[in-house]
Structures are given as C-alpha cells and as structure tokens.
Amino acid sequence: MTASGVEDLVRLLNEKGGSAYFGEPVSVLEHSLQAAHSAELAGAAPATISAALLHDLGHMLHGLDEDIAHRGHDGMHEELAAVYLARWFGEEVTAPIRLHVPAKRFLCWKDPEYLRQLSPASVQSLGLQGGPMNDEQAAAFMRNPFADAAIALRHWDDEAKVPGLRVPGASHYLPILRASAL
C-alpha cells in the first residue's frame, strides 16, 4: 500500500465517520477510534489494531442510513469492509473484520450473560445477522485461525460506545496502518 493509500483511508474515516453510529451514542468515527485505542492498550499486533480501527468501514461505504436495522435490513458492513480493504491488507486485517459479526453470534451462543449485556442496537442487529450460533456453527467458527482475533475485536467493538471519551485521532494510526499493509 502506498503512503497515499493509508492517508486516503484515514481521510475516509475522518470525512465519512462523523455520522451517527446506528443507534449508539457515538459516531462511527468515535466508535472506530475507541476500538483501535482499546486494541492498542491491550498490546495487540499492528494488524489487529488496524482491524479494530477499520472494522466498521463498511458503514461508511454502503451509504445506507442509520435506520437500516429498523427497516429489517443488514447492510453486511463486515463483508463490504473486508472486500474493500483486501486490496491493501492481508487476512491478518481483513479476516477479523469479516468475522467480527460472527464473533458476536458466537459469544451469544457461548455466554448468555454476553447477550444480556449487548446494547439495544446490537441486539437488534444480532437478529438480522442470524441470531446466536448453534453448536455446529460455533465449532466451525472456532476452527477459523482468526477466531481469537475476531473475538478480541468483538469485545473492543462492544466497549467502544462511550460518549466523549478522549482517544487518539485517526492520524495517530498512520504508522500502524502502514506496518499492516501488504
């Protein structure tokens, strides 16, 4: 990835991320920055921090409004983001992004308390995304070599909904994105 490609991603986050985050009390950009900050604080690898920062890029790409879930549609933002980013990043970045929705479904299967702690918007989207996994789906999910990274990303995703939390801006992640790029 060229330096301008990384800068274009950061510009996209900054320009398109200001919209509301689908029923949550933060914008998409605030959510993305909080998730990346949590990954960085956890000592995650650059690729995992990049995945945390970019995991909801699909919301900025699909152009659907905040009420999509209320109308009973799933924008498949995780697939859109993973496909879009595959030209610049390998599976270490794109697979956890693609799997962060299945990770929510897995965690709901594994731990009923996790389901009870989801925000109302996450519960609503869970229904559109297939609901909690069954035993067979959960076993298949755990066989994926990126399952653990996706589960970590999911937890950071769930935490990243704090209004007014001060975290580094998108440009802070330029060196990490560059280190993660193909």
Side-chain angles (χ1 to χ4, degrees), residues 145-168:
F146 297 100
D148 289 336
I151 290 168
L153 173 53
R154 184 74 233 171
H155 287 300
W156 299 322
D157 184 350
D158 292 330
E159 297 167 2
K161 300 172 183 177
V162 181
L165 183 65
R166 296 179 60 99
V167 296

Side-chain angles (χ1 to χ4, degrees), residues 6-18:
V6 169
E7 290 168 5
D8 289 345
L9 285 174
V10 168
R11 190 171 15 268
L12 177 64
L13 284 169
N14 285 325
E15 290 176 2
K16 301 258 185 178

